Amino acid sequence: MSTSLLPPLNALRAFEATARLGGVGRAAQALHVTHGAISRQLKLLEDHLGLALFRRAGRGLRLTAAGTRLQQACSEAFGGIEDCVRELRRPSAEPALVLGCSGSVLARWMIPRLPALQAALPGVRLQWSALDGSFTEAQATLDAVLLLAQGPWPRGWQVRELAPERVGVVVAPSHPAAQRLRHAPPSALLRETLLHTSSRPQAWPAWAQSHGLDPAQLQLGTGFEHLYYLLEAAVAGLGPAIAPEPLVAEDLAAGRLVAPWGFAATGGFWVLARPDGPVDARVDALADWAVGQLR
């Protein structure tokens, strides 16, 4: 069995303090022990090594060559231990705030705003999960969800209304009917083949009813599983689509889409919701930021 060559730790501590502070008295004061205790530890260390670590220089002590080498090793070793302990005592990083929203909202609204969000909430680490639907069991496992939804709100959720939902018809300027629709009443849309999405099957009927039109007269054409694909098809000039205003705001500003009849409230809201539980200040901060963006 091998025997450790390491000297007693107390002796090393006494030596390191004496060498660093330049005297036995200062070392004793720093380590809260007596002058004699330090002297005994230094002698124990020198006996263990069989080497002189200090030599007298007037009324003080000066390191020998061996003492200088050992001081360097002790400084590195004790410094490394202090760094490790400091790191271990530091509070662990706060876990990421896991947020859910539809893939369309994530791609068309949130991702373009992530730099602004990170600048506004630099201490909040986010992880996004694309989940469709409203107030589902899968969403209840997340910290919060950003939804387009309509009340009444279900039990078990804390819901903050961020802004009213506004939707409107959009069409690319390249579409053959775009110019005519700009100067026509909403009833002109009954002659067009409309793009639609299975994720919001009531969007077109609700829009028609709000404009005094018979939903049965709408001509639905190509359908898409997600709103994101629907809007990409609209930008490509494949036909009129219906969309929440914030998701197409940049396309309207850039001239990729036009909204012949503007946007109108649906009775629904953009909401940030979280399952019942302890208050999370990060969710409240995110909600405040989103209100400003949606305004």
Side-chain angles (χ1 to χ4, degrees):
M1 181 182 293
S2 62
T3 302
S4 173
L5 296 177
L6 286 176
L9 179 59
N10 285 341
L12 287 174
R13 289 184 66 211
F15 165 76
E16 189 278 332
T18 303
R20 173 167 47 86
L21 298 173
V24 173
R26 294 192 185 94
Q29 185 176 7
L31 297 180
H32 306 289
V33 296
T34 65
H35 186 286
I38 295 294
S39 296
R40 286 193 295 274
Q41 291 296 335
L42 294 179
K43 184 178 186 308
L44 176 64
L45 182 59
E46 289 182 328
D47 290 345
H48 180 90
L49 297 174
L51 296 169
L53 300 174
F54 295 97
R55 65 173 181 269
R56 291 286 177 184
R59 298 179 62 182
L61 295 175
R62 185 170 292 181
L63 286 168
T64 64
T68 299
R69 289 186 60 188
L70 185 59
Q71 182 196 21
Q72 292 173 346
C74 286
S75 296
E76 293 176 2
F78 285 122
I81 293 172
E82 286 182 357
D83 290 342
C84 179
V85 170
R86 189 179 299 112
E87 184 68 26
L88 291 173
R89 285 181 172 177
R90 184 177 302 162
S92 58
E94 191 171 39
L97 184 67
V98 184
L99 299 170
C101 66
S102 72
S104 302
V105 170
L106 180 59
R108 280 198 149 255
W109 192 80
M110 184 53 69
I111 288 178
R113 289 167 175 79
L114 283 181
L117 175 57
Q118 291 166 351
L121 305 176
V124 178
R125 193 160 56 93
L126 300 172
Q127 179 177 327
W128 290 92
S129 177
L131 292 174
D132 289 320
S134 296
F135 304 105
T136 64
E137 290 185 9
Q139 291 169 347
T141 65
L142 308 180
D143 293 317
V145 287
L146 178 65
L147 301 172
L148 290 166
Q150 191 165 355
W153 310 124
R155 296 177 60 183
W157 290 83
Q158 298 180 28
V159 180
R160 178 169 170 183
E161 297 175 0
L162 306 176
E165 181 189 31
R166 291 166 50 85
V167 303
V169 176
V170 293
V171 63
S174 60
H175 188 269
Q179 291 301 319
R180 178 173 57 82
L181 293 176
R182 282 185 174 186
H183 306 289
S187 58
L189 205 63
L190 298 178
R191 299 194 297 272
E192 303 299 325
T193 302
L194 309 176
L195 304 176
H196 62 99
T197 173
S198 57
S199 65
R200 303 196 74 180
Q202 295 303 314
W204 274 120
W207 181 88
Q209 290 177 341
S210 69
H211 288 80
L213 305 176
D214 180 4
Q217 295 185 29
L218 295 173
Q219 301 181 52
L220 299 183
T222 303
F224 298 88
E225 183 177 1
H226 298 291
L227 181 60
Y228 175 81
Y229 303 132
L230 169 73
L231 297 180
E232 289 298 306
V235 170
L238 300 185
I242 189 167
E245 184 176 14
L247 298 193
V248 292
E250 293 184 5
D251 294 301
L252 295 170
R256 292 187 292 268
L257 292 173
V258 295
W261 304 290
F263 296 83
T266 65
F269 290 88
W270 287 73
V271 302
L272 191 66
R274 63 184 183 87
D276 284 339
V279 172
D280 191 329
R282 298 174 299 171
V283 176
D284 293 333
L286 179 63
D288 291 340
W289 173 86
V291 167
Q293 293 292 311
L294 290 167
R295 187 177 297 144

